[in-house]
């Protein structure tokens, strides 16, 4: 089976999205998308292209969210990397068969596509998001 995957985005957790947009716009030379609320994950997101991938900025949209906990303990930084695949369901089954835990069930992510997260303790310390192409 040939699975087409690519790096969809690298997500960075930020306390305040506006200065982060300004910085990443400056460093990439590209403009960022207007902040968009993802209710399911309680974050405001903005995407900036870099090459053929993106940086996703994540700002907590409420006081208590998974991102605010991450910001409190780590002060910011790379939060997750997202892999886009055209074999979303079969890849999830394959990964689950390896006893890699998921964080909940698939939900609708920032781009309106189905996404699922895997437990970082089962994926070498990095939170991985899988996104349906
Ligand atoms: Co993401």
């Amino acid at each position: 089976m040939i699975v087409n995957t690519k790096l969809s985005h690298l997500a960075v957790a930020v306390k305040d999205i506006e200065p982060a947009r300004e910085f990443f716009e400056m460093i990439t030379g590209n403009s960022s998308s207007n902040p968009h609320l993802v209710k399911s994950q309680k974050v405001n997101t903005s995407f900036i292209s870099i090459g053929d991938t993106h940086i996703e900025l994540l700002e907590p949209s409420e006081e208590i969210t998974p991102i605010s906990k991450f910001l409190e303990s780590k002060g910011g930084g790379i939060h997750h990397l997202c892999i886009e695949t055209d074999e979303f369901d079969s890849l999830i089954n394959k990964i689950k068969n390896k006893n890699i835990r998921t964080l909940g069930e698939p939900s609708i992510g920032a781009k309106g596509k189905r996404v699922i997260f895997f437990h970082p303790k089962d994926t070498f310390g990095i939170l991985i998001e899988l996104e349906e192409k």
Side-chain angles (χ1 to χ4, degrees), residues 9 56 80 129:
H9 58 267
E56 175 185 36
H80 65 264
E129 176 182 21

Side-chain angles (χ1 to χ4, degrees), residues 8-11 41 45 47 56 58 79-82 109-111 115 117 129 131:
S8 167
H9 58 267
L10 202 59
Q41 286 154 36
T45 65
F47 288 89
E56 175 185 36
L58 298 172
H79 180 262
H80 65 264
L81 71 80
C82 177
K111 295 187 197 156
V115 300
F117 290 88
E129 176 182 21
E131 180 182 73

